[in-house]
Amino acid sequence: MFDINNTLRIFCNRGTSGIDGSTSTAIGAAYAVKENTVFITGDISFFYDSNALWNNYIPSNFRIIVLNNGSGGIFRFIPGPKESDALDYFETPHNLTAEYLCKMYNFEYSKVENENNLDLQLPKFYKKSKFPKLVEVFTPREENDKILKAYFNNLKE
Ligand SMILES: Cc1ncc(C[n+]2csc(CCOP(=O)(O)OP(=O)(O)O)c2C)c(N)n1
């Protein structure tokens, strides 16, 4: 979907293969490799596996980026759920935030709500720290699928 620096090692998990355990897996990987590790995840996947943060061995150079669109946005994107009268059950909208989990589990927390703020926060986010860090990026639930579809269409042109 975008160019990537080829010095980075990337590992992915598809939702179709189960959203459970993504955070646990990332923490295990961070512990094993010892290198800086960044875990990028959706809100539902993250909250589903929040118990993964209950762990005394999370390296301080571990970073989490939660893309919080307030739901399982995939179900707005794929055909089917939107045309049914059961979108809510697929999408499971919510107003949860990672802030209090971070307080409980000793992660440095920050949030961003727009692109400028994200650009400002990221250099700070990657700086060395005593504790691991999480940044929560809030995006609008009902616009998310439209923006992603427009992005894909743009790539095709
Ligand atoms: C254990 C498990 N339960 C349910 C699903 C079905 N499922 C696939 S994607 C998804 C929602 C993911 O939401 P989120 O992590 O917020 O990412 P987004 O779709 O918003 O990008 C769900 C519930 C699954 N893949 N695995």
Side-chain angles (χ1 to χ4, degrees), residues 36 38 60-65 108-112 116-135:
N36 294 339
V38 182
S60 60
N61 62 357
F62 182 55
R63 300 286 180 270
I64 303 179
I65 299 176
E108 279 184 31
Y109 173 82
S110 57
K111 68 172 174 188
V112 301
N116 281 349
N117 206 226
L118 181 65
D119 287 343
L120 284 175
Q121 296 246 11
L122 281 182
K124 255 199 305 188
F125 178 71
Y126 288 120
K127 281 217 169 101
K128 263 189 160 181
S129 55
K130 188 170 168 204
F131 296 109
K133 296 186 201 177
L134 180 150
V135 65

Side-chain angles (χ1 to χ4, degrees), residues 49-99:
D49 191 29
S50 63
N51 228 31
L53 305 177
W54 185 0
N55 179 323
N56 291 337
Y57 304 96
I58 303 177
S60 60
N61 62 357
F62 182 55
R63 300 286 180 270
I64 303 179
I65 299 176
V66 179
L67 302 174
N68 190 342
N69 56 12
S71 70
I74 183 71
F75 297 109
R76 247 170 212 280
F77 191 77
I78 57 173
K82 246 181 162 175
E83 292 76 49
S84 73
D85 53 9
L87 178 60
D88 248 33
Y89 295 102
F90 285 102
E91 200 194 3
T92 56
H94 63 83
N95 291 309
L96 302 179
T97 140
E99 185 174 0

